[in-house]
Amino acid sequence: MVGSSHEALHRIFQKDPELLTRALQRVLHVPFPRPTEIAALNVDLTEIEPVERRVDTLLRAETDEGTYLLVVESQGKADERKRGSWPYYLSYLYEKYRCEPVLIVITQSSSTAKWASRPIRLGFPGWYSLSVRPLVLGPDNVPVIADEKQAEADPTLAVLSAMTHGRGPGAMAILESLASALRTIDSDSAAVFAQFVDSCLVDPQAKQMWRDLMTAVQYFWRHPLAEQVREEGREQGRIQNQQEMTLRVLEWRGIPVPDAVRERVLACADLGRLEVLAQRAVHATDAAELFADE
């Protein structure tokens, strides 16, 4: 089960490897040759020495012009350590497989995309021993697909669009178009793509809208994400009940509850903390005593 946007952003290319080469051609306008075969490879680049190094997704693309290794890295924020690890990955893979590695970085952040696209140059200025130029897919170049027909024509590209633009102003149209497109593909793939998108949506309103769209689709409830959604709903119900009980105890005991205290109780989403507040409500002589330890 995909539990984070980091995983989803690169694993979508494991689900549909050809999406990556289409993105290179259509989004970045890189004349990458059309693959005749694509296979996933072991992502573990660890040496015998106890230094663990792993890429996010590694694909081998066979083309009429040769074999390429597509190294996909999901990047949430700028990380200067990558200036050392990315060149290492490429050199190691070339030495191991003796075919050309291509580094592709995918991100949801425009600032991270700008940072990642900077060339990495190692050596003497003007005579670099090694130069690395990542290809970057992000919100500034991945197309916004907010039209149902466009989404249905290329559902996986529509998924990538939702994953990179899901927190922007056009999120509603993008998600609605994608929901329509997922109904046109097999239910197992649709369920996986639904989870990828759910993992990448950081805007609470967009995430809730996506889940509302998916609840109307039968296949969604057969997927592990559905149980996660149900459990989150049950958890939220327990939190709400505990919040209301704490406030009712104070009211039953005739203790005035100022708006500031009420807001703090309703803002608390930690069940353990809410249990403490409820116990204090039984003995408090003033509502402010609920938060005396803060």
Side-chain angles (χ1 to χ4, degrees):
M1 180 172 177
V2 177
S4 68
S5 61
H6 176 91
E7 284 189 82
L9 282 171
H10 68 86
R11 283 184 57 185
I12 185 177
F13 299 115
Q14 298 175 14
K15 178 65 179 173
D16 182 5
E18 290 188 1
L19 171 64
L20 186 57
T21 57
R22 293 203 307 277
L24 294 180
Q25 296 164 351
R26 294 172 54 181
V27 177
L28 298 180
H29 306 292
V30 174
F32 191 86
R34 184 178 182 277
T36 55
E37 180 184 348
I38 296 183
L41 302 179
N42 191 336
V43 300
D44 193 344
L45 309 184
T46 306
E47 301 179 55
I48 295 177
E49 297 294 327
V51 178
E52 185 178 355
R53 300 180 187 271
R54 293 177 183 269
V55 296
D56 288 332
T57 285
L58 179 61
L59 304 171
R60 184 183 64 231
E62 301 288 351
T63 77
D64 292 336
E65 300 177 21
T67 301
Y68 295 89
L69 298 176
L70 304 179
V71 185
V72 185
E73 285 281 275
S74 174
Q75 197 68 29
K77 61 182 179 180
D79 183 354
E80 289 303 317
R81 293 175 300 177
K82 296 296 185 179
R83 295 184 60 81
S85 57
W86 283 343
Y88 170 84
Y89 295 164
L90 301 179
S91 299
Y92 176 91
L93 289 168
Y94 180 78
E95 175 64 21
K96 181 176 181 178
Y97 293 101
R98 287 295 167 177
C99 49
E100 302 295 338
V102 180
L103 174 62
I104 300 103
V105 179
I106 180 166
T107 180
Q108 295 176 291
S109 164
S110 294
S111 60
T112 302
K114 184 177 180 180
W115 164 82
S117 63
R118 290 184 353 224
I120 300 171
R121 298 188 177 97
L122 305 179
F124 187 76
W127 195 273
Y128 297 104
S129 300
L130 179 63
S131 182
V132 176
R133 294 180 59 196
L135 296 168
V136 182
L137 293 168
D140 294 331
N141 54 19
V142 172
V144 174
I145 299 180
D147 177 80
E148 288 187 11
K149 291 184 178 179
Q150 282 186 307
E152 291 172 5
D154 195 339
T156 47
L157 186 59
V159 172
L160 184 61
S161 176
M163 291 163 62
T164 51
H165 297 285
R167 57 182 174 184
M172 180 174 293
I174 294 171
L175 296 177
E176 287 178 342
S177 298
L178 176 58
S180 175
L182 291 186
R183 296 187 181 96
T184 67
I185 64 177
D186 68 278
S187 59
D188 289 338
S189 295
V192 173
F193 287 147
Q195 184 186 357
F196 284 167
V197 173
D198 187 89
S199 298
C200 287
L201 292 174
V202 295
D203 183 337
Q205 289 185 327
K207 185 184 285 283
Q208 186 57 54
M209 188 186 76
W210 178 243
R211 292 182 172 185
D212 290 343
L213 287 169
M214 290 296 97
T215 55
V217 185
Q218 186 177 2
Y219 65 70
F220 176 77
W221 296 108
R222 300 201 305 268
H223 196 271
L225 177 60
E227 181 55 36
Q228 175 188 334
V229 173
R230 286 192 288 266
E231 179 55 34
E232 288 178 1
R234 289 191 288 265
E235 178 81 358
Q236 185 59 41
R238 289 192 289 267
I239 289 172
Q240 186 174 349
N241 288 339
Q242 195 74 10
Q243 291 169 338
E244 292 174 353
M245 184 183 72
T246 300
L247 295 173
R248 280 201 301 268
V249 168
L250 291 173
E251 292 167 357
W252 288 338
R253 297 184 60 230
I255 297 176
V257 181
D259 289 343
V261 172
R262 183 180 300 276
E263 289 173 4
R264 291 181 71 179
V265 171
L266 295 177
C268 181
D270 185 320
L271 275 172
R273 178 64 174 164
L274 284 168
E275 289 179 6
V276 172
L277 298 182
Q279 292 171 5
R280 290 177 179 174
V282 175
H283 304 287
T285 57
D286 186 285
E289 293 178 19
L290 267 61
F291 302 96
D293 60 338
E294 298 181 12

